[in-house]
Amino acid sequence: MPKLYHFPLDPFSRRIRLALGEYGADAELVEERPWEQREGFLALNPAGALPVMVDDDRTVIAGIEALSEYLEETRGARNRVTLLGETPAERAETRRLVAWFDIRFHREVGRLVLGEKVEKRFAKPGQGGGAPHMKAVRVGLNNIRHHLDYIGFLSEARNWLAGDRLTHADLAAAAHLSCIDYLGDVPWSENAAAKQWYQRIKSRPCFRPLLADHIRGMPPPRFYADLDF
Amino acid sequence: MPKLYHFPLDPFSRRIRLALGEYGADAELVEERPWEQREGFLALNPAGALPVMVDDDRTVIAGIEALSEYLEETRGARNRVTLLGETPAERAETRRLVAWFDIRFHREVGRLVLGEKVEKRFAKPGQGGGAPHMKAVRVGLNNIRHHLDYIGFLSEARNWLAGDRLTHADLAAAAHLSCIDYLGDVPWSENAAAKQWYQRIKSRPCFRPLLADHIRGMPPPRFYADLDF
């Protein structure tokens, strides 16, 4: 079985776990804490970033950009599922939105909130560990609002974020938000449309493994796993 | 003809211009200065990032991630040229390296050097203009070295950076470096293999339009356009 190197609160790893579920594919999960910069992991991905998959034929696929496309080309093609779209224009819209969440949401929200509240908590002092800067956390949490607005706007104009079908755009947005939700920090009450969209995606079978995540020393709030939150 | 919104010293726009040449495709260039956050441009790409293409059928393709794949799917398919690779594993290696240069090189070198020396020079005070922080420039220029080492290492182990064929990985690396080269700041003498690789790609017809770039008030050094530099 392929091995997926991941961390439970890494949004990029989470998107791949969601995608595996939607493609009807499987992988053995191997937990990796990228801030430890383990030598064996850097040999798989010199960039030191999650996720990394080692496929059955030992092909190493390193990084979210390569891995999401690889799964579409292999698992998607095999099982006749597309998470990008049918036409070049549809796929361009999916990839535009994926970049929006992977770059902008992560820079404006995830890196601040998860970097301070999760990575600093688990990393050793020499690896960047320490007390969180609560000001950075507050900036990140404040920035969630315009992303919820954008998700609400898109999900009201379309069936899913990139158009008629569920795509990597939905999985990316949901993966990033779900990490913040694990910390109990998403202000769902502020945007009904965004909340409805999240309820729809959270109810899909692909989401179940994420809702079962439980990090030792950092349990999620009770509503984290509730479909009616 | 399709319109490509670009800026001459934007490395992402440059990769698309190189790719158009390699795919045997054409586009009308429209100069855009993204820091001006022009309303008409934000309507094309809410993320405000270059490049953006408007295709003949008015499809808008926004951002480097969407546009490079779109060109492969449309121009590459039409003209039987691939700049990603033939197999899923080859394409994964191309995309891993593209991410290396688009994310790491840009964060460690380009954003610092180009942000300080180019954007601050041309932007108005309210848009981020002002005197460059020379310390940031120095940090960026110092970071080039390990990227040249990586390019040298890859180009000695392989024919091109991702393998046997020229791919978007070469175009990405060359696009990022060429912006720094326009400023005369690449220490080519420090890595002979990286310099040889750059000479090979610089000699390709796709590179000619980039070598003819001339920004008013910021002329390139004489060797910028020399194939024997």
Side-chain angles (χ1 to χ4, degrees):
Chain A
M1 196 186 299
K3 277 189 181 172
L4 179 68
Y5 292 82
H6 85 118
F7 180 70
L9 288 184
D10 172 59
F12 305 99
S13 305
R14 282 192 162 220
R15 170 148 67 94
I16 294 302
R17 292 166 67 200
L18 293 173
L20 285 168
E22 291 292 335
Y23 286 130
D26 231 339
E28 178 196 343
L29 296 184
V30 182
E31 187 172 321
E32 181 72 37
R33 301 189 163 200
W35 54 84
E36 293 178 358
Q37 303 212 34
R38 192 170 60 80
E39 213 170 302
F41 180 63
L42 290 176
L44 294 175
N45 187 7
L50 287 172
V52 173
M53 193 171 98
V54 181
D55 209 347
D56 286 326
D57 64 358
R58 302 203 175 181
T59 300
V60 177
I61 309 99
I64 183 68
E65 301 82 5
L67 184 49
S68 61
E69 298 281 341
Y70 178 88
L71 290 179
E72 173 87 5
E73 291 174 1
T74 56
R75 276 56 177 182
R78 188 185 302 161
N79 298 343
R80 292 166 186 252
V81 176
T82 178
L83 293 175
L84 289 174
E86 292 291 349
T87 68
E90 284 173 24
R91 290 193 287 271
E93 179 64 356
T94 299
R95 292 179 177 122
R96 174 183 82 79
L97 287 168
V98 166
W100 177 279
F101 293 107
D102 280 2
I103 298 172
R104 288 190 67 128
F105 186 98
H106 188 59
R107 184 176 61 211
E108 296 170 359
V109 181
R111 206 164 58 185
L112 298 172
V113 177
L114 300 170
E116 297 299 327
K117 285 184 129 180
V118 180
E119 192 172 324
K120 279 199 169 171
R121 161 102 174 247
F122 290 112
K124 290 179 188 143
Q127 294 168 340
H133 289 296
M134 290 314 291
K135 192 176 167 188
V137 173
R138 276 194 298 274
V139 169
L141 292 180
N142 195 46
N143 287 339
I144 288 187
R145 290 182 167 76
H146 77 264
H147 287 286
L148 287 181
D149 287 347
Y150 195 38
I151 289 168
F153 164 77
L154 290 170
S155 69
E156 285 191 313
R158 304 162 169 184
N159 188 29
W160 292 98
L161 297 187
D164 285 341
R165 70 173 73 233
L166 177 97
T167 67
H168 272 285
D170 300 280
L171 302 188
H176 286 282
L177 276 169
S178 72
C179 291
I180 312 297
D181 202 39
Y182 185 97
L183 304 173
D185 284 340
V186 180
W188 290 116
S189 62
E190 294 195 12
N191 194 305
K195 181 176 174 178
Q196 269 180 6
W197 162 86
Y198 192 70
Q199 276 173 323
R200 273 201 291 154
I201 198 166
K202 192 176 177 181
S203 307
R204 295 176 77 89
C206 71
F207 230 90
R208 281 182 210 145
L210 274 62
L211 299 181
D213 278 346
H214 190 106
I215 296 170
R216 217 183 333 175
M218 191 178 270
R222 215 166 21 155
F223 63 79
Y224 168 71
D226 278 358
L227 299 182
D228 187 21
F229 51 100
Chain B
M1 195 185 302
K3 279 189 180 171
L4 179 70
Y5 292 82
H6 85 119
F7 180 70
L9 288 184
D10 172 59
F12 306 98
S13 304
R14 282 192 161 218
R15 170 148 69 95
I16 293 302
R17 291 166 68 200
L18 293 172
L20 286 168
E22 291 291 335
Y23 286 129
D26 231 339
E28 179 196 342
L29 296 185
V30 182
E31 187 171 321
E32 183 71 38
R33 302 189 162 203
W35 55 83
E36 293 179 357
Q37 303 211 34
R38 193 170 58 81
E39 213 170 302
F41 180 63
L42 291 176
L44 293 175
N45 186 6
L50 287 172
V52 173
M53 194 170 98
V54 181
D55 208 348
D56 286 324
D57 64 359
R58 303 204 174 181
T59 299
V60 177
I61 310 98
I64 183 68
E65 301 81 6
L67 185 48
S68 60
E69 298 281 342
Y70 178 88
L71 290 179
E72 173 87 3
E73 292 174 0
T74 55
R75 276 56 177 184
R78 188 185 303 161
N79 298 341
R80 291 165 187 255
V81 177
T82 178
L83 293 175
L84 288 175
E86 292 291 349
T87 68
E90 285 173 23
R91 289 193 287 273
E93 179 63 356
T94 299
R95 291 179 178 122
R96 174 183 80 82
L97 287 168
V98 165
W100 177 279
F101 294 107
D102 280 3
I103 297 173
R104 286 191 69 129
F105 186 99
H106 189 60
R107 183 176 62 210
E108 296 171 359
V109 181
R111 206 165 57 185
L112 298 171
V113 177
L114 300 169
E116 296 299 327
K117 284 184 130 180
V118 179
E119 192 171 323
K120 278 199 171 173
R121 161 101 172 248
F122 289 112
K124 290 180 189 144
Q127 295 168 339
H133 289 296
M134 290 315 290
K135 193 176 168 190
V137 173
R138 276 194 298 274
V139 169
L141 294 179
N142 195 47
N143 287 339
I144 288 187
R145 288 180 168 79
H146 78 263
H147 287 287
L148 287 182
D149 288 347
Y150 195 39
I151 289 169
F153 164 77
L154 290 170
S155 69
E156 285 191 314
R158 303 163 169 184
N159 188 29
W160 292 99
L161 296 188
D164 285 340
R165 71 173 75 233
L166 177 97
T167 66
H168 272 285
D170 300 279
L171 303 188
H176 285 283
L177 276 169
S178 72
C179 292
I180 312 297
D181 203 40
Y182 185 98
L183 304 172
D185 284 340
V186 181
W188 290 116
S189 61
E190 295 193 13
N191 194 305
K195 181 177 174 177
Q196 270 180 6
W197 162 85
Y198 192 69
Q199 276 174 322
R200 275 200 290 153
I201 198 165
K202 193 175 176 180
S203 306
R204 295 176 77 89
C206 71
F207 231 90
R208 280 182 211 145
L210 274 61
L211 299 181
D213 277 347
H214 191 106
I215 295 169
R216 219 183 331 175
M218 191 178 271
R222 217 165 19 152
F223 63 78
Y224 168 71
D226 278 358
L227 297 183
D228 188 22
F229 51 100

